[in-house]
Structure formats: structure tokens, C-alpha cells
Amino acid sequence: MIHLQHIERIFLVGDEEVHALSDVSMTASDGEYIAIMGPSGSGKSSLLNIIGLLDRPDNGSYELDGIKVSELDEQQQAEIRRHKIGFVFQFFHLVPRLTAFDNIALPLMLSGIKQEERQVRVTAALAAFGLSNRAGHRPDQLSGGQRQRVAIARATIMQPSVILADEPTGNLDRSSGIEVAEILEELNRQGITLIMVTHDPDLGRRARRQILMVDGRIEHDK
Amino acid sequence: MQVNDFLRYTINGVRAQRLRSFLTALGIGVGIGAVVLLTSLGEGLHHFILAEFSQFGTNLIAINPGKVTTHGISGALVSNVRPLTIEDTESLKKLPQILDTVSVVQGNAAIEAGSHQRRTTIYGVDASASRVWKFAVATGRFLPDDPPRAARSFAILGSKVRQELFGSTQALGMRVRIGGELFRVIGTMESKGQLLGFDLDDAVYIPASKALALFNRESLMEIDLLHSTNSSSSVVAEQVRKVLAGRHGSEDFTITTQEKMLDVLGGVLGTLTIAVGALGGISLLVGGVGILTIMSIAVNERTGEIGLLRALGVGRNQILALFLGEAVVLAAIGGLAGLGLGVGGSWFVSLLVPALPSHTSWGYVVSAELLAAFVGLVAGVLPARRAARMHPVEALRTE
Ligand SMILES: Nc1ncnc2c1ncn2[C@@H]1O[C@H](COP(=O)(O)OP(=O)(O)OP(=O)(O)O)[C@@H](O)[C@H]1O
Ligand SMILES: [Mg+2]
């Protein structure tokens, strides 16, 4: 469960304060499917970064699965990211010199999980995402849709409780975009909380709950 | 993260930029290689020279005309230097600790036998030279124990001279002409090879008094003394100094003990080693700067990857460790290459110049490799810290 209360995020640009988030409060229950929408610069990414513990709020409190994560130190937050949160980015963020297999295995390797177990889990993930025949390919040998599927496989390999996706289809053509959205929705059906930032109204409408942000505030939540 | 995975990931990072990594590692490699090669040769030279010198025994004292002062040699040019004479040698021979003496005159002259002629090094010495210098004759005998001032005109040929003048024919008993005077060959020397470029076999030995006359000299060039091992060289040197100073009226000669010579030699080689080490240090420094530069570039290029790793739950310290690891791997590869260059190079040199032995000590090799890794570690600190301090959101934004 995600529980945000009175979150503020202020950036200093020169002498000017930019309120990326002002007094944002929201709760997301386990297994929810939320689309965050809104105009450019409205604070969608800022909100997602704070939920993902990549950034700290200047004010307010954040509880994740009953843990007051805003009070944890950097190392403890890293632990939580590793085990509870999976990220999917607009630009995939695959490591270019690693194969699809090794990119998916990366979180397992960083957590010190043994080679044999990695082999089993990554092979299963490759099969699940229809990438079995691409295991040895490097990112530059994959299509956009395939890259994003590798990224999603990587995001889910540690079996997180939440997936945070910042415009996951923003860099894909229409059909690959729909394919990726369907994969994410399937993961959501299996119980993972899915929070997705999108500019695409059609994609946004597929979510059971939509949050509209304007000027760093939640304008609309339904 | 498991150790082998850590290594695999860092090596992978190094390998991803093969050419760049190779060139950077080369900087370290050349430094380590040069140091290993030069110190191997230096050390080999040290062992070699030590062996060469101590083959004559360490109880050897040499006396040369002229006083070596800290201002340099005030030698034969100064008129109040009295010549070292055969009589000086005779008087020193009477000292109880002195076992043997050799008067030495050296010069170049032409030697003729029949139609063959050759310029060679002439050594005017005493019968004792073969004992003191531990020379062995191959055929015949060395100079006889004639009275030094009335020595007969006998000559002993070095193996090369013998070969050049007589080829495969008999040399013993033949007459040779040296500087116009006739000598009878009574012995030939065994081949002794080269010492630091000097051909020891391209030499002829004749009595000292004959050589003085031949070169029209008054003074011996050196008197060598062999003293008993019961007394220390410095004590003997002091007695020699008293006797000679008494005869000459002043100390217009220089006494060098073998011990002292070895000391000086050791000092010179030590300084040389330090100089080589300093050179190597400079190239390591340059190599280190290269690693710092390349790692800074790598951190810039891989900002997105750093952001990703942070998002995947890697802490700042682990980012630091990963990039430090990469710098160390880079430097260690360079170090290994350098060791290969150095050891291979010294092996190659010893093939080309067998007389110059090389000596690579394993302790040295290990510490050179550790040093290379340490340079990598130090050079990696700044870029790795920059990587660790990046804000994950900022890092992820760059693409
Ligand atoms: N590091 C930063 N420094 C200064 N201002 C920032 C920084 N990050 C975000 N902002 C500002 O905060 C506000 C919200 O930015 P954010 O990236 O969250 O918007 P967004 O809704 O994701 O926009 P988009 O749809 O274009 O991605 C913007 O006005 C932006 O300029
Ligand atoms: Mg955004």
C-alpha cells in the first residue's frame, strides 16, 4: 500500500522556487491500476520519482507497505527499491553492452543471487515475454517493443509489489504501445500495483483509476 | 553482489571500449614494463659485476698514482706527483700482511709475428699476476719469477691474439715483435670472454719493466696487492699508505680497497635503480592521469546506466565500488601487460647479449602489479565519487 500525505517538492531555479508538487496526498491500495495524466510540467514524473524513492519530498510523509520510507536513509531506501519497486522508463534504459538475458538478470546479479537460480528465472521471464529467441541479442539488435519488453522483464524479475512506468509507450509505435500496455495490465491482473504516467488519453482510459495533475496538484482523481 | 559477478561486470565495462581501454592500460603497461625491464637488467648487472669483482677475492688492494680528492683527480699532470715504481712494489712486498704484489702497466701496441700484425692491449705485469688475478694459462706457462728490473723478454698471448697471429699453428716458442722489440712466446691464455665490452682475450702479457720501456713511461699505472684474509683491508691499506708516503714524501697516490670499490659500485647501482624507479614512477603517474581521464569520460557516458543501477536498488557505495573496480581492473590489466613486456624484454635482451644476465625477482613482479592496481585505485577515486554522488533522477534523465 502506498500512502502519501501533503507531499511538497520544490526546485530552485536561479532565485525562483518551482513547486513541482504542492500538497499532494493520495493512497494506492495493493493491486490498483492507476494512470497519472496531465499537461507537460504538471509534476507527473516528480510524483512517480518520489513514489519510487528516487527522490525525496521537501515536505510531507510517505508510507509504503506500512514502512515510513521517507524517514529511511539512502541505503535502506535502495533496499526497498530493489525488492518492492520495478521501474519502466520511456527510454528503456537497457545497458547497451549487455545481452537481453544479462539485462534482465541485472537486478538478480546485483542482489547476489546465484548463477543457477538466475538462469532458471531469467529463462522463464524470457519465455513469458516472448523473448526466448532474443536472449543473446544486445539492445541495439532489438526493436523498440522488444526493448521495452526486456525492460519490463527486468522490472519484474525481483517480483516487486509495485510497477512504476513513466510514459512506457511514449517511444513506441501504436501497436507496440498497445502490446506493452497489455503486458503491464496482465502483470496488474496478477496482483502487482501498476502506476503509469501517460500522455495518451486512450491509454489513460484503460486504467480503473485516473489521476489528473495540473500545476503540481492533483486536480482530479477517479 | 557476488565477487565473480562484480569482476565480470567491471571487466565487461572495460571490454566494452576495447581500443580506448587498451590505450589507457598501455600507459600503465609501459611504465611498469620499463621499470621491470630496467631493474631486472640493473639487478642482473649488479649480480654479474659483483661476481666478476669478487672472483679476484675481496682481499685485493689497488694503488694508483695521483691523489683522488673530492675535487677530482690531481693526477699525473701535477709535477709534484712522484711516479709509482717497481721499487715501490718491491718495498710493499716486504710488508708482513702482503701475500703478493703485481706491478701493472697497460697500453696499446702493435704485435707482429711473421707477416701477421695486430694492434692489441699490452699488459706489463709480474709473474704473480696469474696468481693474484686468478688467470690460467692454456698452454706453456705464465711469466717466470725473474728479478723485476731484469726480466727476460717473454710474452703470454691472449687466446684471440694467439688465434689472429698463429691460427692453428704452434705459438709456443715463437718470436713476436712488440713495438720493435723481440719477445719469445712462452704461454697462451685460456679464453676469458668479454667483460662489459672489453675483450679480455685481445691482450698480451709481458714483464712490467719491459712495458715501461716500451711505452717510455716512468710510472706504473697500478700496483695490485693481495693481502692475507686475517687482516682487514682498511688496516692493511693504512700500512701501505705509511710505507708509500714515507718513500714519496707525501700522499701522492690513491689506495682503493676491493671492499670500497664494491661499496662504491653498490652505491652507483643503487642510485641507478632509484633513477629508474623515478622514471617508472613518472610514467605511472602519467598512466594514472590517463585512467582518471578515461574513467571520467566513462562516468559521463554511462550516466544513464548509473541512474538505472540506482533505480534497481544499488546504493551509492556500491556505485563507488563498481567504478573503482573498473579503474583497478584497467590498471591491473596494464600492469600485467607491463610485466609481460618487462620480463619478456629482459629475456630477449639476455638472448641478444648473453654476457648481460637479467635477474627478475618475483617479489618485485608482485609489488609492481600491486603498485599498478594501487595507481588505478587512486586514479579512480575522483570519477567513482562523481558517479556515486549523482542524483538518480538527474542521471536517468540523460539519454
Ligand atoms: N531538477 C529540476 N530542477 C528544476 N526544476 C525541475 C526539476 N525537475 C522538475 N522540475 C520542474 O518541476 C515541474 C514538474 O516537472 P515534471 O518533470 O514532474 O513534469 P511532468 O509532468 O513529468 O512533465 P512531462 O509530461 O513533460 O514529463 C516542471 O515545472 C519542471 O520544470
Ligand atoms: Mg515527465
Side-chain angles (χ1 to χ4, degrees), chain A residues 49 54-55 74-75 78 81-82 87 89 91 93 95 97-98 102 106-107 109-112 114 118 154, chain B residues 1-2 5 9 12-13 16 302 304-305 308-316 318 391-393 396 399:
Chain A
N49 290 336
L54 289 175
D55 199 10
E74 193 268 329
Q75 191 58 46
R81 280 203 298 277
R82 171 178 304 184
F87 291 92
F89 307 97
F91 296 103
H93 277 295
V95 179
R97 61 178 187 281
L98 298 183
D102 285 336
L106 199 54
M109 187 199 79
L110 292 168
S111 310
K114 284 206 183 67
R118 293 202 307 247
R154 180 183 63 196
Chain B
M1 197 169 180
Q2 295 183 335
D5 286 328
Y9 193 81
N12 195 299
R302 283 158 61 186
E305 180 185 331
L308 170 77
L309 290 176
R310 296 293 301 280
L312 295 181
V314 171
R316 286 181 194 274
Q318 208 176 342
H391 194 287
V393 174
L396 281 166
E399 180 76 19

Side-chain angles (χ1 to χ4, degrees), chain B residues 40-376:
Chain B
S40 293
L41 293 181
E43 196 141 314
L45 200 65
H46 197 154
H47 283 242
F48 181 64
I49 291 178
L50 221 62
E52 282 294 323
F53 270 79
S54 40
Q55 78 178 3
F56 303 124
T58 49
N59 50 340
L60 206 64
I61 295 176
I63 304 159
N64 300 91
K67 180 75 190 150
V68 177
T69 66
T70 47
H71 308 296
I73 303 170
S74 66
L77 294 174
V78 184
S79 55
N80 62 4
V81 171
R82 294 187 41 170
L84 275 181
T85 61
I86 289 174
E87 287 67 36
D88 285 333
T89 310
E90 292 304 300
S91 70
L92 290 174
K93 202 174 201 164
K94 296 195 186 94
L95 281 172
Q97 295 90 342
I98 301 298
L99 302 176
D100 239 330
T101 62
V102 190
S103 307
V104 186
V105 183
Q106 186 212 348
N108 281 300
I111 174 167
E112 288 172 53
S115 58
H116 297 277
Q117 199 193 39
R118 179 175 182 79
R119 272 200 90 76
T120 183
T121 309
I122 309 291
Y123 288 96
V125 292
D126 296 325
S128 50
S130 75
R131 298 193 295 271
V132 173
W133 293 345
K134 303 201 169 75
F135 281 5
V137 287
T139 59
R141 55 198 173 86
F142 202 70
L143 294 170
D145 251 325
D146 285 343
R149 276 294 177 191
R152 285 165 287 171
S153 298
F154 290 144
I156 321 298
L157 305 184
S159 63
K160 180 154 193 180
V161 177
R162 195 206 73 82
Q163 180 64 31
E164 292 288 323
L165 294 184
F166 295 100
S168 52
T169 64
Q170 179 64 265
L172 287 186
M174 303 302 287
R175 285 174 182 281
V176 292
R177 198 175 278 280
I178 303 173
E181 252 203 86
L182 278 174
F183 288 80
R184 182 185 296 279
V185 178
I186 59 166
T188 62
M189 306 294 291
E190 277 176 357
S191 174
K192 292 192 60 104
Q194 296 202 338
L195 172 55
L196 306 178
F198 291 103
D199 192 347
L200 297 175
D201 299 326
D202 195 1
V204 173
Y205 302 88
I206 60 174
S209 57
K210 294 290 177 195
L212 282 176
L214 178 69
F215 297 121
N216 199 15
R217 288 181 62 111
E218 257 191 290
S219 176
L220 299 173
M221 293 176 70
E222 184 169 301
I223 300 174
D224 285 349
L225 308 172
L226 188 69
H227 64 83
S228 75
T229 41
N230 308 340
S231 35
S232 87
S233 350
S234 52
V235 171
V236 178
E238 181 52 26
Q239 285 174 346
V240 168
R241 194 188 64 77
K242 271 192 196 138
V243 171
L244 268 189
R247 287 176 58 86
H248 287 200
S250 68
E251 196 179 331
D252 54 0
F253 49 83
T254 304
I255 300 177
T256 314
T257 64
Q258 189 81 20
E259 266 178 300
K260 201 160 181 186
M261 248 152 87
L262 287 177
D263 274 2
V264 170
L265 205 74
V268 169
L269 285 172
T271 312
L272 220 70
T273 307
I274 289 173
V276 166
L279 267 176
I282 290 170
S283 47
L284 277 184
L285 190 77
V286 174
V289 171
I291 287 188
L292 186 133
T293 312
I294 287 303
M295 287 310 296
S296 300
I297 293 173
V299 166
N300 269 344
E301 286 176 349
R302 283 158 61 186
T303 302
E305 180 185 331
I306 294 165
L308 170 77
L309 290 176
R310 296 293 301 280
L312 295 181
V314 171
R316 286 181 194 274
N317 289 338
Q318 208 176 342
I319 297 275
L320 186 82
L322 279 171
F323 279 90
L324 275 183
E326 233 179 273
V328 170
V329 163
L330 200 54
I333 289 173
L336 281 179
L339 289 181
L341 279 179
V343 173
S346 61
W347 173 80
F348 190 64
V349 168
S350 65
L351 271 192
L352 289 183
V353 194
L356 193 71
S358 69
H359 187 271
T360 314
S361 59
W362 284 108
Y364 204 87
V365 165
V366 170
S367 38
E369 179 62 12
L370 286 179
L371 180 66
F374 180 72
V375 168

Side-chain angles (χ1 to χ4, degrees), chain A residues 11 13 18 20 39-46 167 199, chain B residues 394 397:
Chain A
F11 292 104
V13 181
V18 177
S40 187
S42 56
K44 305 182 295 292
S45 296
S46 301
E167 303 193 31
H199 270 119
Chain B
E394 303 291 328
R397 222 203 306 266

Side-chain angles (χ1 to χ4, degrees), chain A residues 84-216:
Chain A
K84 289 188 182 290
I85 301 167
F87 291 92
V88 179
F89 307 97
Q90 180 178 358
F91 296 103
F92 321 128
H93 277 295
L94 301 177
V95 179
R97 61 178 187 281
L98 298 183
T99 61
F101 185 100
D102 285 336
N103 265 291
I104 297 170
L106 199 54
L108 299 173
M109 187 199 79
L110 292 168
S111 310
I113 287 166
K114 284 206 183 67
Q115 176 79 45
E116 302 84 66
E117 190 184 338
R118 293 202 307 247
Q119 186 72 36
V120 173
R121 283 169 69 171
V122 175
T123 307
L126 282 164
F129 290 97
L131 292 162
S132 291
N133 55 352
R134 294 285 179 272
H137 291 222
R138 273 184 283 105
D140 57 2
Q141 298 161 332
L142 298 173
S143 73
Q146 288 169 333
R147 287 184 213 185
Q148 198 59 303
R149 277 187 276 157
V150 171
I152 295 170
R154 180 183 63 196
T156 50
I157 197 78
M158 295 291 286
Q159 294 163 336
S161 52
V162 186
I163 286 197
L164 303 176
D166 197 344
E167 303 193 31
T169 62
N171 234 17
L172 301 176
D173 61 51
R174 181 117 205 115
S175 68
S176 312
I178 290 169
E179 189 185 7
V180 162
E182 279 168 355
I183 289 173
L184 290 172
E185 284 161 7
E186 173 55 31
L187 290 167
N188 172 247
R189 269 194 291 282
Q190 291 165 15
I192 298 181
T193 310
L194 173 61
I195 303 180
M196 179 164 66
V197 169
T198 181
H199 270 119
D200 181 349
D202 290 342
L203 190 56
R205 268 194 291 277
R206 296 165 72 119
R208 285 188 292 280
R209 177 177 168 193
Q210 287 128 27
I211 292 177
L212 178 68
M213 295 202 63
V214 176
D215 272 349

